[in-house]
Amino acid sequence: MSAAGTATRTQRAPVGTPPAGSLPRLLAGVSEDGGRVSVTRHFSVHGGLPLTGARRSWGRREHPPLIEETHRAGLRGRGGAAFPLARKLLAVAAARGPAVVVANGTEGEPASEKDAMLMELAPHLVLDGLVAAAEALGAREALIATCELDEDATDSMALAVEERDAAGIAPHHAPSLRVVTAPGHYVAGQETALVSYLDGGPALPTFTPPLPFERGVGRRPTLVSNVETLAHLALVARHGAGWFRALGTPASTGSTLVTLAGPVARPGVYEIALGSSLESLARAAGGTTREVRGALIGGYAGAFVPAESLRGLALSDEHLAAHGGRMGSGVVALLSSDCCPVAETARVARWMAEQSSGQCGPCVNGLDALAGEIEAVARGRATDGRLEQLSATVARRGACGHPDGVVSLVGSALEAFPSAFAHHARGGPCDRCASVPELPLPAGRVASPRSRTRRARR
Amino acid sequence: MSRRVRVNPIACEAHGMCAELLPERITLDEWGYPVVDEKPVSGEELAHAKRAAQACPTFALLLERPR
């Protein structure tokens, strides 16, 4: 785990409602040396979590106040899909039967570290969000899913649950809190895969419908929400929608955690206001250390942005859309001019193909072929139009969005680095193809989920 | 009444019966998996679609109500 920092260095004394327009929010109370926020420090920094009491019955057009407040705050998910949290909460609230709430901290994205860091340093903010969501939905059962490979995050969450029990903080109606570790492969954190795993099945995506909000853990309506999203919810519950919106843009409200990787002096996790510039993030990280050729933004289902578009680039979905990108899981991986973007794309595409859960034919065969064709481009043996044809064949044909993410990644690489792809297609490998890989991939530590399922037909 | 033809890609094992019975809506990709035109089907075509769904050995072809 790399060092944590915040995009602003302001450390204010904890008094009442913190200033609305300042950072840090989620990382408030984290000491300069990156120390974990204990239960006592958490409540002295953030104050108590206002709960409205056990759920009463809500009328047809009436919703729990927290859901209304979340809607006004404009809080969208920070796990990758940016789905409005209020809509998810409403869908679970409207479904029949007692609900279950799940904090998704599985973070299968290899380039992302922000969820693990948040759970390690500010676990009680995650628990507060989970408790607040449980209360709004009348859920008695709350689960925290971590990745089995992130031992520090898992231990921190488990300790946080113990700290609460020992301090007698849980009100009588609070949900039971339980930490569960999930496997580390890429799609294990996809919400239907996580629900399947929590129910004793394999950590593989399932066909939808039903979605978890209709039939989730134990066949009950289930809220699955990213741990960072829940941490923001804990602050919305305390300070309200107006406070939340004081940072960010009208369409992308609040702050967000990003994992900054690549040639900067201090790579790591930063909290930024949505819509702030990439340059200010790079400055907070001590500036770039080498010439930058481009960036991969949003994770391995995200998009490449070439260097010439990085100047003045604002980090929000509405600004990134112009480049086919989105904030996704908050990964900002800068590529130096020492690397070959074709080789980098080929490496990531191959890894993503291996991470197919092996359930859907078009994904298993299509991603293998897609990765193979990029490798062929890199060797100078491209087939004209084959990448485009494979992308069209694969898109939207899986049970989950995994193949679509790879198609997006590959398409953006072709757009961001057209001359590099053209040079390789004509002339084969470049001098930089063999340079040190820059985009982080787990070095063999994550088993492919595919061993027991379908294999590609070669 | 109309229905939307949809494949459950997890259940599908590329037997290809659907493409034979409903060629106007279903083609096969290079690995033998169905590529489906998801525009709603109705009338006589729906009858063909139902036959195709019933013929699927893995029950992977679905006729859903349009959303």
Side-chain angles (χ1 to χ4, degrees):
Chain A
M1 179 80 31
S2 52
T6 54
T8 56
R9 307 303 300 169
T10 37
Q11 294 282 338
R12 290 171 190 275
V15 277
T17 300
S22 72
L23 288 168
R25 284 181 171 183
L26 299 181
L27 301 181
V30 175
S31 59
E32 282 292 325
D33 57 354
R36 178 180 180 277
V37 180
S38 68
V39 66
T40 38
R41 179 150 173 80
H42 167 75
F43 285 107
S44 82
V45 168
H46 292 287
L49 178 68
L51 294 173
T52 50
R55 186 195 196 189
R56 59 181 177 87
S57 55
W58 304 100
R60 189 174 279 270
R61 294 189 175 280
E62 207 187 3
H63 305 300
L66 181 63
I67 301 184
E68 299 279 3
E69 202 63 24
T70 306
H71 173 68
R72 279 193 293 272
L75 173 55
R76 290 190 287 133
R78 304 293 200 249
F83 194 80
L85 179 61
R87 278 177 56 195
K88 230 183 203 183
L89 286 164
L90 279 178
V92 177
R96 267 167 206 262
V100 179
V101 292
V102 177
N104 188 350
T106 51
E107 199 170 41
E109 184 69 52
S112 183
E113 295 175 358
K114 56 104 179 167
D115 288 340
M117 191 227 62
L118 179 67
M119 290 187 284
E120 215 182 304
L121 298 185
H124 287 284
L125 215 44
V126 176
L127 291 185
D128 277 355
L130 194 59
V131 167
E135 209 218 16
L137 298 171
R140 293 297 188 117
E141 190 180 356
L143 303 170
I144 304 102
T146 63
C147 173
E148 63 185 7
L149 303 170
D150 282 320
E151 284 176 23
D152 292 342
T154 305
D155 292 349
S156 172
M157 291 310 305
L159 175 61
V161 173
E162 283 170 29
E163 283 176 311
R164 287 187 175 219
D165 288 345
I169 285 167
H172 62 92
H173 60 270
S176 68
L177 298 166
R178 190 157 57 90
V179 178
V180 180
T181 57
H185 57 265
Y186 189 83
V187 295
Q190 196 272 347
E191 66 175 22
T192 64
L194 182 56
V195 165
S196 167
Y197 183 75
L198 293 174
D199 257 351
L204 300 174
T206 59
F207 185 62
T208 58
L211 283 159
F213 78 82
E214 306 164 274
R215 195 194 301 164
V217 176
R219 301 175 73 83
R220 287 178 287 167
T222 300
L223 176 85
V224 181
S225 186
N226 168 263
V227 287
E228 183 195 337
T229 314
L230 290 168
H232 286 293
L233 179 66
L235 296 179
V236 170
R238 284 179 165 88
H239 311 307
W243 176 90
F244 187 77
R245 299 185 78 102
L247 281 178
T249 71
S252 297
T253 55
S255 66
T256 200
L257 297 177
V258 297
T259 310
L260 178 63
V264 290
R266 290 186 299 278
V269 176
Y270 290 80
E271 183 174 7
I272 63 167
L274 279 164
S276 62
S277 73
L278 176 61
E279 278 125 338
S280 64
L281 172 61
R283 265 200 307 279
T288 52
T289 52
R290 276 178 289 165
E291 199 189 324
V292 170
R293 173 148 199 179
L296 176 62
I297 298 180
Y300 290 166
F304 287 102
V305 180
E308 58 270 25
S309 303
L310 294 179
R311 190 182 303 277
L313 183 72
L315 296 171
S316 76
D317 282 349
E318 67 270 27
H319 294 103
L320 290 167
H323 308 281
R326 53 208 185 88
M327 285 305 287
S329 53
V331 168
V332 178
L334 300 178
L335 292 168
S336 86
S337 48
D338 299 337
C339 81
C340 168
V342 180
E344 293 287 340
T345 306
R347 255 177 0 97
V348 174
R350 174 55 64 195
W351 188 82
M352 289 288 271
E354 286 166 359
Q355 290 296 310
S356 165
S357 69
Q359 300 188 104
C360 303
C363 178
V364 176
N365 296 284
L367 293 191
D368 179 58
L370 196 55
E373 183 57 21
I374 300 170
E375 287 158 358
V377 172
R379 287 194 309 269
R381 300 188 195 286
T383 309
D384 245 11
R386 178 76 172 146
L387 274 183
E388 292 77 4
Q389 180 221 341
L390 283 170
S391 295
T393 302
V394 171
R396 291 179 306 281
R397 288 185 59 222
C400 75
H402 184 66
D404 304 359
V406 185
V407 167
S408 150
L409 178 88
V410 170
S412 78
L414 292 174
E415 257 182 53
F417 310 110
S419 62
F421 274 87
H423 276 117
H424 284 75
R426 274 198 309 273
C430 67
D431 304 341
R432 301 190 180 97
C433 278
S435 62
V436 183
E438 294 195 0
L439 291 173
L441 286 178
R445 63 170 193 164
V446 181
S448 159
R450 208 192 301 174
S451 45
R452 65 186 162 280
T453 49
R454 183 175 290 158
R455 297 209 172 268
R457 301 175 177 192
R458 293 194 188 244
Chain B
M1 187 190 67
S2 70
R3 290 282 188 272
R4 196 171 64 107
V5 183
R6 199 180 162 210
V7 174
N8 175 343
I10 296 178
C12 177
E13 289 177 1
H15 290 276
M17 306 287 277
C18 55
E20 281 189 28
L21 292 169
L22 196 61
E24 58 273 45
R25 289 307 180 103
I26 300 176
T27 55
L28 298 180
D29 68 16
E30 57 193 274
W31 307 284
Y33 291 90
V35 181
V36 177
D37 173 358
E38 294 197 345
K39 283 198 294 291
V41 291
S42 54
E44 197 183 331
E45 211 181 359
L46 179 57
H48 290 294
K50 282 182 176 163
R51 212 164 302 142
Q54 283 158 5
C56 176
T58 59
F59 306 107
L61 195 68
L62 312 170
L63 299 177
E64 295 185 333
R65 286 169 203 283
R67 280 172 294 189

